[in-house]
Amino acid sequence: MFTKIFLLRAAGASLAAIALLTAQPLRAQSSSDTARIEKLERAVELLAKQNAELKAEVSSLKKHSAPAPATVAEGKTKTQVTYDGKNYVEKLVPDLGGSKWKLFPAITELELFGDMRIRYEYRGGRTDDTPVAPPGPGVAGTQDWQERKRERYRLRLGLRGTLLDDWFFGLRLEGNASGRSANVTFGDDTSTSSPGGGGPFAKGSDGIFVGQAYGGYKGFPGFIFTGGKMPNPFVTTRLVWDDDINPEGLAEQYKHTFVFGGAAPPPSYSKDGKVVAAGPPSEPFLKLDVFANFGQFVYDDANPENPLGARATTNANGGTQLVPNTDAFLLGWQVGARFEFPHIVYFQFAPTLYNYTGNGDTFNIHYQGGSPDLTNSASLAQNQTGINSLLVFDMPAEIGWKVGKIPMRIFGDFAVNFEADDRAEAAGHPGKGGDRYAYEIGLGIGQLKKKHDWQIEAWWQHTDQYALDPNLVDSDFFDSRVNMQGVVARAGYMLADAVVFNLSYAYAWRVDDDLGTGGIGDIGINPVDQYQIFQADLSFKF
């Protein structure tokens, strides 16, 4: 309305001025200059009067139509610019901030990562026909099966990042206190004696534990130095290491890549002799990665190293001996190489030596591993965890290629304990030092990287009684046991880029019938004469 009034009046005033200024009176030739000046003066006065009236009306309209001033919220504010289609308008609004994360300025990169897995598992083991105890609940009989059917989940959540000046760190939380498993079993905490009082859907088994906590430095080209509770720095397989174990201590790693061939093509010339852009460099003939990994891990901390009074003694190893008051360390020494002929084939091998410095105060009792000459309960009561006389050489290797677009690989591992004679003798079987070898060989087809990918793996595995550390071997497929051999098959399919479905099955039996099956697993039998496991997993990665 204001705009319409203003325009009408301005137009009327302008027309009046034009008429007065340009009109030719009928008697123009007879008018004097004085009369013409008077008319012009009256026209100017009229315009000035109308202009003043318009200004007054505009001022009045502004007073009556001005909006109430916007209320600005208390606290920090910022200027926000908006556009209404004709004009840009600035106004103050509350500053709610951008990202809610406030990171320390020295952090240059931060990544949230983790995974969650839902699993159904069947696991069963059978006794042999060795002596049995008097029948009763929980007492093993001849060729008696123990079976476990469990629904489980695993949740792992972590942060890793880099800092200024080439430092880095990592942290991961898990739901289980075990070093070889992050699984939590549904419904295993219903007893009233469980933390929280039990009952259905209780949380007594749902804990939070630190699975990884490490830091390191990578400022020297090719080198990485790490300390803390870390991902396994060695190239390895399930034959020797359970992939859930995160060793504690120090690690040093080195890697360098050599490229053979693949030089840039010479420049090409046009018809007029001018240089034109060269094409892309040719593929290298060979990429060679050489690497070295070393680890010094705290296996057992004797605490205190200098106890009050006389040192404790033990008779478990035959005769009286002092319990060690020094720490036990696991040392690993690995060098290796990976040869890759692009789009053709690759081959990798990583010879490794593991040795132990001392036995600590927890693992100083000599390893025995059970016996078929005892009842099941007595066999289980023998020492299953001693680390005496272990000097293990390990050689994981892998070769891979493609058939069309399908990746294929043959993988394997071979290990031998150079001190198996002493280990067997300490266990009471001096003639069994030849049970010193462990090996696996398998085939993998496909890969699991993106949606609709699939993979099938199958392998044979054999582990002698005195070949490996029973505290480190895989806890699933052979139930954390040695003196076992058998087959494993796995198949997986990617339902989405971050969701994979896996089926796994293993069947195993005892290698040497004169010995037990050393190690502490989920099946309360020793020796395990036959063993099988089935797992169905749905995993989510983020």
Side-chain angles (χ1 to χ4, degrees):
M1 183 64 185
F2 161 71
T3 303
K4 184 176 180 181
I5 294 173
F6 181 84
L7 290 175
L8 290 174
R9 295 203 175 188
S14 299
L15 290 173
I18 292 171
L20 290 172
L21 290 172
T22 60
Q24 297 293 327
L26 296 176
R27 292 170 295 182
Q29 284 92 3
S30 61
S31 299
S32 65
D33 292 338
T34 303
R36 295 180 63 186
I37 291 172
E38 289 177 355
K39 290 181 179 180
L40 289 174
E41 287 177 349
R42 286 197 297 273
V44 169
E45 290 175 359
L46 178 63
L47 289 174
K49 181 179 178 181
Q50 290 179 342
N51 186 47
E53 291 176 353
L54 287 173
K55 285 184 177 180
E57 189 168 355
V58 168
S59 177
S60 175
L61 288 171
K62 284 184 176 180
K63 290 180 181 179
H64 288 87
S65 62
T71 302
V72 179
E74 295 183 359
K76 189 177 180 181
T77 62
K78 64 179 180 181
T79 301
Q80 184 181 49
V81 179
T82 60
Y83 181 64
D84 61 3
K86 294 182 179 179
N87 303 300
Y88 289 94
V89 180
E90 292 185 354
K91 60 180 179 179
L92 289 178
V93 297
D95 186 0
L96 302 179
S99 172
K100 300 302 181 184
W101 286 82
K102 293 185 178 180
L103 301 180
F104 185 62
I107 297 177
T108 60
E109 182 178 331
L110 188 64
E111 178 187 4
L112 175 67
F113 71 97
D115 65 270
M116 193 273 288
R117 181 180 69 196
I118 303 172
R119 164 178 287 180
Y120 168 78
E121 177 185 281
Y122 164 85
R123 186 182 301 229
R126 194 190 76 172
T127 65
D128 60 6
D129 56 359
T130 53
V132 296
V139 177
T142 300
Q143 296 183 341
D144 194 2
W145 279 89
Q146 184 184 75
E147 298 175 298
R148 305 188 69 176
K149 301 175 183 179
R150 296 180 287 186
E151 295 77 26
R152 319 184 81 183
Y153 79 91
R154 181 183 74 181
L155 176 63
R156 303 185 297 190
L157 183 64
L159 283 174
R160 54 187 168 222
T162 57
L163 305 171
L164 293 175
D165 301 323
D166 300 309
W167 294 89
F168 64 91
F169 66 93
L171 169 70
R172 190 174 76 183
L173 303 179
E174 302 176 354
N176 193 322
S178 171
R180 282 191 281 191
S181 174
N183 293 315
V184 177
T185 301
F186 294 122
D188 71 341
D189 48 8
T190 57
S191 171
T192 55
S193 60
S194 298
F201 318 120
K203 305 184 185 74
S205 297
D206 306 84
I208 299 177
F209 303 90
V210 177
Q212 294 178 359
Y214 60 89
Y217 181 72
K218 52 183 178 182
F220 301 112
F223 288 90
I224 300 177
F225 303 95
T226 310
K229 190 175 183 67
M230 68 190 76
N232 196 328
F234 294 107
V235 176
T236 187
T237 69
R238 288 174 175 263
L239 179 74
V240 178
W241 286 89
D242 188 297
D243 56 11
D244 283 316
I245 292 178
N246 299 292
E248 303 167 348
L250 301 174
E252 304 81 35
Q253 298 173 275
Y254 172 77
K255 179 181 177 181
H256 185 76
T257 300
F258 297 92
V259 178
F260 300 90
S268 58
Y269 298 89
S270 63
K271 291 181 180 180
D272 57 3
K274 295 181 179 179
V275 178
V276 298
S282 59
E283 282 274 11
F285 167 71
L286 170 65
K287 291 181 180 179
L288 172 60
D289 295 331
V290 293
F291 55 88
N293 302 311
F294 307 106
Q296 305 84 44
F297 304 136
V298 181
Y299 199 96
D300 178 36
D301 180 72
N303 190 22
E305 280 77 2
N306 183 17
L308 297 174
R311 283 176 56 186
T313 60
T314 179
N315 298 315
N317 293 327
T320 301
Q321 69 179 47
L322 293 171
V323 173
N325 64 346
T326 55
D327 299 340
F329 290 87
L330 168 59
L331 307 181
W333 318 82
Q334 182 178 78
V335 294
R338 176 187 172 95
F339 300 82
E340 181 180 356
F341 299 89
H343 310 298
I344 302 174
V345 68
Y346 72 85
F347 172 70
Q348 176 177 281
F349 65 94
T352 314
L353 185 69
Y354 299 105
N355 69 295
Y356 297 74
T357 63
N359 298 323
D361 57 354
T362 303
F363 302 96
N364 69 91
I365 307 301
H366 290 168
Y367 171 78
Q368 294 171 290
S371 171
D373 299 325
L374 303 173
T375 63
N376 185 58
S377 58
S379 181
L380 288 169
Q382 287 195 339
N383 183 276
Q384 311 289 337
T385 61
I387 57 174
N388 57 293
S389 304
L390 283 171
L391 178 61
V392 177
F393 172 79
D394 179 35
M395 172 71 88
E398 180 174 315
I399 181 171
W401 68 97
K402 283 187 177 181
V403 175
K405 295 184 179 180
I406 301 176
M408 302 186 71
R409 64 190 181 100
I410 295 175
F411 57 92
D413 200 351
F414 172 81
V416 57
N417 178 19
F418 293 130
E419 297 183 354
D421 289 327
D422 294 337
R423 190 167 174 83
E425 184 175 356
H429 299 280
K432 293 293 185 179
D435 290 355
R436 65 176 66 219
Y437 301 105
Y439 49 87
E440 74 172 23
I441 183 71
L443 174 67
I445 304 175
Q447 62 183 2
L448 296 175
K449 290 186 176 181
K450 62 182 186 302
K451 185 177 180 179
H452 300 314
D453 278 356
W454 57 270
Q455 179 176 271
I456 298 174
E457 295 178 309
W459 68 92
W460 166 268
Q461 182 170 311
H462 171 108
T463 305
D464 285 336
Q465 178 80 324
Y466 306 113
L468 300 174
D469 184 345
N471 304 304
L472 302 182
V473 297
D474 180 62
S475 62
D476 286 332
F477 295 127
F478 284 7
D479 197 44
S480 308
R481 305 302 183 103
V482 293
N483 194 29
M484 299 284 289
Q485 64 183 1
V487 293
V488 183
R490 302 182 68 188
Y493 181 76
M494 295 287 292
L495 300 175
D497 286 346
V499 182
V500 60
F501 179 68
N502 270 305
L503 296 176
S504 306
Y505 175 77
Y507 179 78
W509 57 93
R510 189 164 35 147
V511 176
D512 190 331
D513 291 341
D514 296 330
L515 302 173
T517 50
I520 300 176
D522 289 354
I523 298 298
I525 295 174
N526 192 327
V528 177
D529 194 50
Q530 294 183 26
Y531 171 80
Q532 56 183 337
I533 184 172
F534 170 77
Q535 295 171 333
D537 298 333
L538 183 62
S539 302
F540 305 81
K541 294 183 179 181
F542 47 88

